[in-house]
Amino acid sequence: MGTNRGQPQVPTRATRGLSVAAVDPIPIFREGLAVLMQRAQGLHWAGYAGTHHSALQLCEQVRPDVLLIDSGMDPQCHLLRLLVAGDTGMTVVVLVRESTRTAEFLTCAIAAGAHGVVLRSGEPRRVAEAIHRAHAERRFVDPALTALVARPKRQPAHAGDGSGPARGQMPLSRREYQVLQLVAEGMENSAIAKVLYLSVETVRTHVKSILRKLSARDRTHAVTTAFRSGLLVIHPDDSLKQPAKTPLPTQAERTSNTVA
């Protein structure tokens, strides 16, 4: 998580307009948003988070006026629901990727409490306008998305099959969701306790509650169930891995190639 920790928190609303933070996994996109906030009238950059659990920490510590969420990080709107419930005064705007530009997702996002939806690929001025209008009116839909919102398709019912929560549901508390995210990253209870500033016993209690709510046998089963049900999502850009570097040839190989 990154924030402008050196900036005073109290007077900024009156002197610098709306504080805006973002939840996005792509560093270069976050940098672009930061520049936009610095240039746009009435807005200023409050910080960013690149993971779900750090997004919750960001909102608890910084309490921005407006939060931007990349739709690719929250396709089932679980994080959105927790953030809206945790701070009813915060305006949440979803930046919609092409992969989630569907009636089903937009209906889900608005039902979960999003105050604005705007294309992630939109012009900077349009994003800035969406932030202002969503905060002032508590409802803004990008004109490019209006048709999908106006004529939403019927969402298929997801009946429970005993393998965990149905998609769209959030059975875990805010803190349990953070703990589950860190468990999925392979962290043990002691490490999770340090990250979340909790006691190990409290983390252990949360883990037990997670196992019970997800009907999981153990931590691995809980994580598997969470991914299968959409409660957890694979990093939206995990497929964009850097190509493996070609190892440098050994001295023997260089000699052989020279001789050849």
Side-chain angles (χ1 to χ4, degrees), residues 114-160:
H115 303 99
V117 288
V118 63
L119 283 177
R120 191 170 184 263
S121 58
E123 294 292 329
R125 62 177 178 79
R126 179 168 291 181
V127 175
E129 177 190 4
I131 292 172
H132 282 295
R133 291 189 58 181
H135 185 266
E137 303 169 12
R138 307 297 283 177
R139 174 67 182 267
F140 176 81
V141 177
D142 189 323
L145 301 172
T146 302
L148 291 173
V149 174
R151 298 192 298 273
K153 297 179 181 179
R154 183 181 300 275
Q155 296 190 52
H158 294 283

Side-chain angles (χ1 to χ4, degrees), residues 220-237:
T220 301
H221 188 204
V223 171
T224 302
T225 297
F227 275 115
R228 286 177 175 173
S229 66
L231 193 59
L232 293 179
V233 295
I234 298 174
H235 191 294
D237 292 279

Side-chain angles (χ1 to χ4, degrees), residues 242-250 253-254 257:
Q242 292 294 328
K245 294 183 178 179
T246 302
L248 293 175
T250 63
E253 290 171 333
R254 287 197 296 269
N257 291 336

